[in-house]
Amino acid sequence: MVGYAFMGAAHSQAWRTVNRVYDLPARVRMSSICGRDPQKVAEAADRLGWDGWTTDWRKLVTSDEIDVVDICTPGDSHAEIALAALAAGKHVLCEKPLANTVDEARAMAAAAATARGAGVRSMCGFNYRRVPAVTMMRQLVAAGRLGQIRHVRATYLQDWIVDPQFPLVWRLQKDKAGSGALGDIGAHIIDFTQYVTGQRITGVSAITETFVKERPLPGGSSGLAAHVDGHGSADGHGPATGAVTVDDAAVFVARLDGGALATYEATRFATGRKNALRVEINGSLGSVVFDLERLNELEFLDGTQSATEQGFTRILVTEPEHPYLSAWWPPGHIIGYEHSFTHQMRDFVEAVATGADPQPSFEDALQVQLVLDAVARSAEQGSSWTVVDPELAPVAA
Ligand SMILES: NC(=O)c1ccc[n+]([C@@H]2O[C@H](COP(=O)([O-])OP(=O)(O)OC[C@H]3O[C@@H](n4cnc5c(N)ncnc54)[C@H](O)[C@@H]3O)[C@@H](O)[C@H]2O)c1
């Protein structure tokens, strides 16, 4: 694994758990973790359960000891690490968004296609697909229970940078993160809605905004709970600051190739909303709603019921027959955020061990990147309608 902070910890927990929960055709050994600071990475290896550590990711990707490379770094290093790992014959799990640019994502998808020919697998970490209620949402759509999909309404709302004194962490720098709320959380709802509906976004009209354009430079930590050091600027007036070079919020409308209209809102300025991901889908025969803050539930309206008895039904998605849940707890004993990562590792390990292609593939993630790019270009061009490059095959089943 490369990177040991937020996603490094979430993935480590899942790697630790996956063989204990699921009966899989291969056993995971957590061999080595990589970070840039020797003291911190050594401490992380111990805390997160890795056998060893290194400060040079090239040692991981060329080691005979290692079969799988898990990339949990900011987007500016995804392409370089993934390309080297695939070239060395390692299976790769890479966090989202796949890359910082379409060109990088194209190179990664091409390398993944070549590697696939040699039995080397790759997958992008859109973990929300693996929340059982979200997988079930897709099953309802695929079974025709919603009929023709007319509307998709997706919001992903956070508020961790509302304070203008929140520091200029890597997520606010274009060269490190590629984009802001758009690529970070917008990418999730793009993948989520395309996965659930089985439809691709064909075109968009977008607005983006950077509300706070200058921020104090960060102190030691770089995550969502970072802080500002007491250091001052060179001229002694207040803390040193730097320019925010990404969007704080992105709002766009889209058409899906099955005929649906969709709206998307991704923001880090929704005061009071911590990590509020909500998707509602309306079809000719019914509607379904998912809310991450109640991730064990789905709201489903079956429009084929008699008008006098119709209403949204709250389904508790904790039965053993529900996706992923037979291995967990008795019905009603709910699961949480981190379980989506264990499910992700289950699917990845199973695919690698059985020679199947895990999903979402790098090609699927490239398609998300093309949507992100279309949104950014539309916003730059006064919200003009922007077609998503149709170069790719449909979203994989
Ligand atoms: N799937 C999800 O829900 C989800 C949630 C958060 C973040 N992410 C994604 O995960 C990735 C990492 O985000 P995070 O929140 O864990 O960030 P983070 O800042 O918490 O951690 C980044 C880690 O990468 C390390 N790192 C940075 N550059 C490196 C390099 N060149 N070589 C080695 N290590 C390096 C840092 O030291 C740190 O350990 C991003 O792509 C982000 O978009 C996904």
Side-chain angles (χ1 to χ4, degrees), residues 117-151:
V120 175
R121 312 290 159 191
S122 45
M123 184 169 105
C124 187
F126 284 110
N127 58 302
Y128 291 125
R129 289 181 174 213
R130 267 90 189 186
V131 174
V134 176
T135 313
M136 180 176 164
M137 213 171 171
R138 176 180 161 92
Q139 291 171 349
L140 286 172
V141 173
R145 299 293 301 277
L146 270 70
Q148 181 77 22
I149 305 300
R150 308 288 195 209
H151 287 291

Side-chain angles (χ1 to χ4, degrees), residues 89-114:
K90 310 300 182 196
H91 310 288
V92 176
L93 172 60
C94 182
E95 258 305 337
K96 49 50 63 181
L98 186 63
N100 278 1
T101 66
V102 165
D103 283 349
E104 285 174 348
R106 272 202 184 101
M108 292 167 81
T114 305

Side-chain angles (χ1 to χ4, degrees), residues 4-7 36 73 78 95-96 127 170-171 188 222:
Y4 55 80
F6 180 19
M7 277 308 102
R36 293 162 299 177
T73 56
H78 288 185
E95 258 305 337
K96 49 50 63 181
N127 58 302
W170 69 262
R171 277 186 165 81
H188 270 304
S222 68

Side-chain angles (χ1 to χ4, degrees), residues 282-351:
N282 310 127
S284 55
L285 299 179
S287 292
V288 65
V289 188
F290 172 78
D291 182 342
L292 184 63
E293 290 176 359
R294 308 178 69 135
L295 66 80
N296 291 272
E297 300 171 20
L298 260 194
E299 277 188 83
F300 175 55
L301 178 123
D302 182 352
T304 65
Q305 298 290 310
S306 71
T308 53
E309 292 175 10
Q310 267 183 42
F312 277 92
T313 303
R314 170 180 162 268
I315 301 172
L316 191 60
V317 188
T318 57
E319 296 297 317
E321 294 80 10
H322 284 131
Y324 298 107
L325 285 161
S326 60
W328 291 108
W329 315 118
H333 294 68
I334 54 179
I335 62 164
Y337 171 71
E338 77 262 27
H339 296 78
S340 65
F341 295 99
T342 305
H343 302 162
Q344 177 169 277
M345 299 330 178
R346 183 201 86 162
D347 292 346
F348 186 73
V349 170
E350 200 160 77

Side-chain angles (χ1 to χ4, degrees), residues 29-116:
R29 186 167 69 80
M30 295 168 69
S31 178
S32 186
I33 188 166
C34 171
R36 293 162 299 177
D37 180 310
Q39 199 178 331
K40 286 186 187 164
V41 73
E43 187 275 327
D46 185 46
R47 179 169 43 87
L48 300 175
W50 293 84
D51 292 347
W53 58 269
T54 174
T55 53
D56 182 1
W57 60 260
R58 286 175 184 81
K59 284 196 181 142
L60 295 186
V61 305
T62 50
S63 166
D64 292 339
E65 288 286 295
I66 286 171
D67 302 306
V68 170
V69 174
D70 183 2
I71 303 172
C72 293
T73 56
D76 62 339
S77 52
H78 288 185
E80 193 184 11
I81 299 170
L83 292 175
L86 289 170
K90 310 300 182 196
H91 310 288
V92 176
L93 172 60
C94 182
E95 258 305 337
K96 49 50 63 181
L98 186 63
N100 278 1
T101 66
V102 165
D103 283 349
E104 285 174 348
R106 272 202 184 101
M108 292 167 81
T114 305
R116 187 178 297 130

